[in-house]
Amino acid sequence: MPSPDKQSYRLMDLGACPHGGPLADEHLLQAAAQHPVACLWSAPQCLVVPRTYAAKPGFAQAQQAMNAQGWPVYVRQSGGGVVPQGAGILNLSLARLFSGRPLDHSEDFYQQLCGIIASALLFFGIEARAQAVEGSFCDGRFNLAVGNPAKKIAGTAQWWRRQSPTSGAPVIGTTPPEQHIGLVHALILLDYDTDTATRQANALEEALGSTQRYRADRIVSLDTLIPPEDRAQFQGRFRTRLIQCIPGGGIRLSQESPIN
């Protein structure tokens, strides 16, 4: 099966749902069984956490308290840590079918995602690289960061699901390799209040009795890195450039019905 950088992705249209919700990309998995797909999406203000958070003592109470403050907390399937969503954040997700173990493809899939975003940013004179940024929310090796000292401008996560063989398909010779659908996701800070996001992420950690704290000075919103006169049109122009950088991104796949 071709490597991720050789794949052509179809751009998934979320139909009548311009804001697909904080778990929007999980809807890509069904389509990805047929063809590699990508989507750009946004979500209303909230916090999103992996399943490990939902298992922590006091999670339901913390979730209720954050919801009362206007920051509902959702649980996603992918790993990582707590992340914000809201206006000024753009999400890019890729999903496709792989043969073999997820571990054999995980790093290359991350690198492809980071490469797409970094290529789009170069158009605006912003040089980004994949690296960990200690003190940032949802830190990991495949953050995208800028500057020195490094500041995070995008966070990434993955989710893998085993794909069952096609029902009734003949088995010839040896058992075919396992197949998995991989989903890789990036949260990009385009025009976002990083102080508020950090404060709310810390509030959730505190409510859960965690000692983990994040630093607002370890993340940066991309709009602050471009000339003031260009900021008004930056989000639209970046979105257009990002689509152009997705392999096959000009191919659009419309759904028969909207995703809710």
Side-chain angles (χ1 to χ4, degrees):
M1 187 171 288
S3 62
D5 62 346
K6 302 298 183 183
Q7 290 291 318
S8 175
Y9 289 86
R10 296 181 181 179
L11 192 63
M12 177 71 82
D13 183 357
L14 294 182
C17 246
H19 296 284
L23 309 178
D25 58 351
E26 295 179 7
H27 294 284
L28 292 178
L29 297 179
Q30 183 176 355
Q34 304 301 319
H35 195 285
V37 290
C39 74
L40 299 177
W41 54 280
S42 58
Q45 177 177 285
C46 64
L47 295 173
V48 188
V49 299
R51 288 175 293 175
T52 53
Y53 273 63
K56 293 183 177 183
F59 177 76
Q61 292 85 345
Q63 189 178 40
Q64 185 177 13
M66 296 301 298
N67 185 65
Q69 298 176 37
W71 284 83
V73 179
Y74 295 88
V75 180
R76 66 178 186 271
Q77 296 296 319
S78 59
V82 56
V83 297
Q85 288 285 358
I89 288 178
L90 179 66
N91 299 275
L92 168 62
S93 299
L94 309 175
R96 55 156 295 205
L97 186 67
F98 289 87
S99 290
R101 302 177 306 164
L103 186 62
D104 295 333
H105 306 287
S106 175
E107 187 161 320
D108 287 343
F109 207 16
Y110 267 135
Q111 289 177 344
Q112 182 187 37
L113 179 70
C114 290
I116 290 169
I117 301 168
S119 294
L121 288 171
L122 276 177
F123 181 77
F124 300 93
I126 299 172
E127 295 185 11
R129 60 194 180 277
Q131 71 166 83
V133 180
E134 185 177 359
S136 65
F137 61 79
C138 197
D139 189 23
R141 287 194 302 131
F142 292 98
N143 296 323
L144 269 177
V146 297
N148 186 20
K151 293 189 176 186
K152 176 176 179 173
I153 54 94
T156 60
Q158 279 190 15
W159 180 29
W160 294 84
R161 188 180 74 182
R162 186 168 181 171
Q163 180 74 356
S164 300
T166 303
S167 177
V171 177
I172 302 174
T174 60
T175 303
E178 291 184 2
Q179 289 192 320
H180 294 82
I181 294 177
L183 170 70
V184 65
H185 160 238
L187 178 154
I188 309 167
L189 302 171
L190 285 189
D191 180 5
Y192 198 68
D193 182 349
T194 53
D195 288 337
T196 297
T198 302
R199 184 168 60 252
Q200 294 302 322
N202 283 335
L204 177 59
E205 294 285 3
E206 184 176 4
L208 291 171
S210 167
T211 59
Q212 174 70 60
R213 295 294 182 270
Y214 309 107
R215 293 173 48 184
D217 63 345
R218 304 317 305 269
I219 59 176
V220 65
S221 182
L222 284 166
D223 65 306
T224 65
L225 305 179
I226 61 174
E229 61 270 19
D230 295 335
R231 292 176 185 172
Q233 298 180 339
F234 175 62
Q235 289 197 48
R237 294 179 64 209
F238 177 78
R239 184 186 182 96
T240 298
R241 189 64 180 179
L242 191 59
I243 290 173
Q244 294 170 348
C245 291
I246 299 170
I251 304 173
R252 294 179 180 269
L253 178 65
S254 295
Q255 295 188 172
E256 294 181 358
S257 58
I259 291 175
N260 295 310

